[in-house]
Amino acid sequence: MRRLAALVLGLAAPALAHRGHASLAVVEIDAKSGAVVVTHHLQAHDVEPALVDIAPDAQPSLDDADAFRALVAYVGQCFRIRGVALSPAGQRLDGDMVQLRYIGRLKGKPKRLLISGALFGETWDDHATQVNIRRAGITRSLNFGAHDAEKPIALPGS
């Protein structure tokens, strides 16, 4: 009987494990034109519970068009690059992966960026966002907690 109980607990342990809450934002900057493309890679298992806070009048499901529009607006408001107007430029839902794209353009040739990258703090105190900034073949990264303030980063290829 003990062996059976140990086997059952051993099989259930992975299901009980904490899955962490994280996302990835990739900022690609064209060194010549200053065009900016931001692609957010989000996990549906993190996003759907957050829809209760983001879109309280919609169904907390990525299948609900109102909730999905609210998610696109929320990420567009929370993730910012100072001085760059980012506009939604496409979304994709593929299994548990949600991709949101935004486009914009740098003004001039700045040597550093100020990025606000904290997401989903209303729902997950432990949510982490890694931001990879790519320009001229160089990638630099920033990490944000759920409640972190704007952070500076030297622009790659400056």
Side-chain angles (χ1 to χ4, degrees):
M1 188 63 146
R2 284 186 187 172
R3 286 185 189 175
L4 178 59
L7 177 63
V8 170
L9 287 175
L11 292 174
L16 298 174
H18 176 69
R19 285 212 243 184
H21 305 105
S23 59
L24 171 66
V26 178
V27 179
E28 298 179 75
I29 302 169
D30 183 281
K32 291 182 183 178
S33 70
V36 177
V37 176
V38 179
T39 305
H40 294 274
H41 302 270
L42 312 168
Q43 299 295 318
H45 68 262
D46 288 339
V47 171
E48 285 190 322
L51 292 173
V52 171
D53 295 314
I54 295 168
D57 295 328
Q59 293 295 315
S61 169
L62 292 167
D63 294 331
D64 184 294
D66 291 336
F68 201 85
R69 277 192 293 276
L71 173 66
V72 171
Y74 169 84
V75 172
Q77 291 167 356
C78 291
F79 184 93
R80 295 180 312 280
I81 301 170
R82 190 184 289 183
V84 178
L86 294 171
S87 303
Q91 304 85 35
R92 191 169 123 200
L93 181 57
D94 187 17
D96 193 45
M97 180 60 68
V98 181
Q99 287 187 356
L100 305 178
R101 287 186 96 117
Y102 300 81
I103 57 172
R105 187 169 304 280
L106 289 177
K107 294 177 185 171
K109 301 238 182 228
K111 297 210 182 284
R112 72 181 187 127
L113 298 176
L114 292 171
I115 297 178
S116 296
L119 297 174
F120 305 119
E122 303 84 353
T123 307
W124 310 113
D125 281 336
D126 65 342
H127 190 274
T129 302
Q130 179 175 326
V131 180
N132 293 341
I133 302 99
R134 296 180 183 152
R135 181 175 152 195
I138 300 169
T139 301
R140 298 229 169 97
S141 297
L142 285 173
N143 290 300
F144 289 88
H147 304 286
D148 285 353
E150 177 179 74
K151 295 181 181 184
I153 189 163
L155 213 83
S158 294

